Amino acid sequence: QVQLVQSGPEVKKPGASVKVSCKASGYNFILYGINWVRQAPGQGLEWVGWISPYNGQTYFAQNVQDRIILTTDTSTNTAFMELTGLTSDDTAVYYCARELDRLEVLIVWGQGTLVTVSS
Amino acid sequence: SYVLTQPPSVSVAPGQTARITCGGNNIGIKSVHWYQQKPGQAPLLVVYNNNGRPSGIPERFSGSNSGNTATLTISRVEAGDEADYYCQVWDSTSDHVVFGGGTKLTVL
């Protein structure tokens, strides 16, 4: 079955970087874009960015566009999200999610990765 | 940037119909998608492209979209429907995905 499995929780200090992985299985990885969505504790969903594994095209949320790097490795069917210059505002559960037929229709989600930024 | 506005909370008795609104400027010309999120779980797509239903989602979940308001309707509400619900669109002006603030559905 279609599945996204994310890497484990991370604890980082302010100013550090974090890299979260999202391994896909059960479908042709190249054909569907991957979105990243985060959720701060007790808050709503916030879109972070999107990448096409086919050609590497990306879109980023305005508030992270200078600090985020999205990549994919088609040899291992894995997507990566790297966020630099972390602050406490970046503390959140980060989800990867595969698109259905439109970029923003998120049909399959990873289990989430908690990133905690604390001194 | 495009803004989606949802009521913070909606309450409904079991067996009744819940309607959760999502307001946005001329949202009727956009495709609206809805997600259900239960505590400690990842979101689940329940309605896409205004009124489409993914495989496995009960027919009790439906959507509509016109003018400045999109609506998620849950018929014959069950206790298991209690969750947070988020609307979402693609804003082609900014090339951004936009989520509403979320609505907590309480089943009385």
Side-chain angles (χ1 to χ4, degrees):
Chain A
Q1 75 281 21
V2 177
Q3 197 173 5
L4 299 175
V5 178
Q6 300 183 221
S7 48
E10 302 267 9
V11 179
K12 297 292 182 180
K13 294 193 181 302
S17 299
V18 69
K19 191 170 186 177
V20 178
S21 68
C22 170
K23 184 170 176 60
S25 61
Y27 71 97
N28 190 335
F29 180 67
I30 291 177
L31 296 183
Y32 298 93
I34 296 287
N35 284 267
W36 291 87
V37 176
R38 70 181 180 180
Q39 187 170 35
Q43 302 301 308
L45 302 175
E46 179 188 14
W47 178 74
V48 174
W50 171 90
I51 184 168
S52 166
Y54 174 71
N55 60 10
Q57 183 184 4
T58 53
Y59 294 114
F60 301 122
Q62 191 170 10
N63 62 339
V64 298
Q65 63 182 4
D66 296 330
R67 302 190 293 123
I68 190 171
I69 303 169
L70 297 183
T71 56
T72 61
D73 182 345
T74 55
S75 69
T76 60
N77 292 346
T78 304
F80 300 92
M81 182 209 67
E82 183 173 9
L83 195 58
T84 64
L86 292 170
T87 73
S88 57
D89 289 342
D90 296 314
T91 293
V93 175
Y94 287 75
Y95 295 100
C96 61
R98 199 208 84 176
E99 66 186 29
L100 174 60
D101 55 352
R102 298 167 61 101
L103 181 155
E104 77 278 16
V105 183
L106 309 180
I107 187 65
V108 181
W109 293 67
Q111 83 275 21
T113 296
L114 175 61
V115 175
T116 303
V117 183
S118 174
S119 55
Chain B
S1 60
Y2 195 76
V3 175
L4 296 174
T5 301
Q6 298 182 236
S9 63
V10 168
S11 298
V12 64
Q16 299 303 303
T17 297
R19 294 179 178 85
I20 298 173
T21 59
C22 176
N25 184 35
N26 214 13
I27 196 174
I29 65 171
K30 297 182 180 296
S31 288
V32 180
H33 322 293
W34 292 90
Y35 299 85
Q36 174 194 71
Q37 187 181 32
K38 297 181 179 180
Q41 297 184 16
L44 172 71
L45 180 70
V46 293
V47 167
Y48 68 102
N49 295 347
N50 298 322
N51 54 17
R53 234 182 354 264
S55 174
I57 300 301
E59 291 183 6
R60 300 185 299 104
F61 288 82
S62 63
S64 62
N65 184 20
S66 179
N68 293 315
T69 305
T71 303
L72 173 69
T73 301
I74 309 172
S75 304
R76 302 179 300 282
V77 166
E78 304 173 355
D81 298 330
E82 190 162 280
D84 294 325
Y85 290 84
Y86 296 89
C87 60
Q88 180 220 38
V89 300
W90 170 254
D91 178 24
S92 57
T93 301
S94 61
D95 286 340
H96 276 44
V97 173
V98 180
F99 283 99
T103 298
K104 181 176 181 59
L105 176 66
T106 299
V107 181
L108 301 171

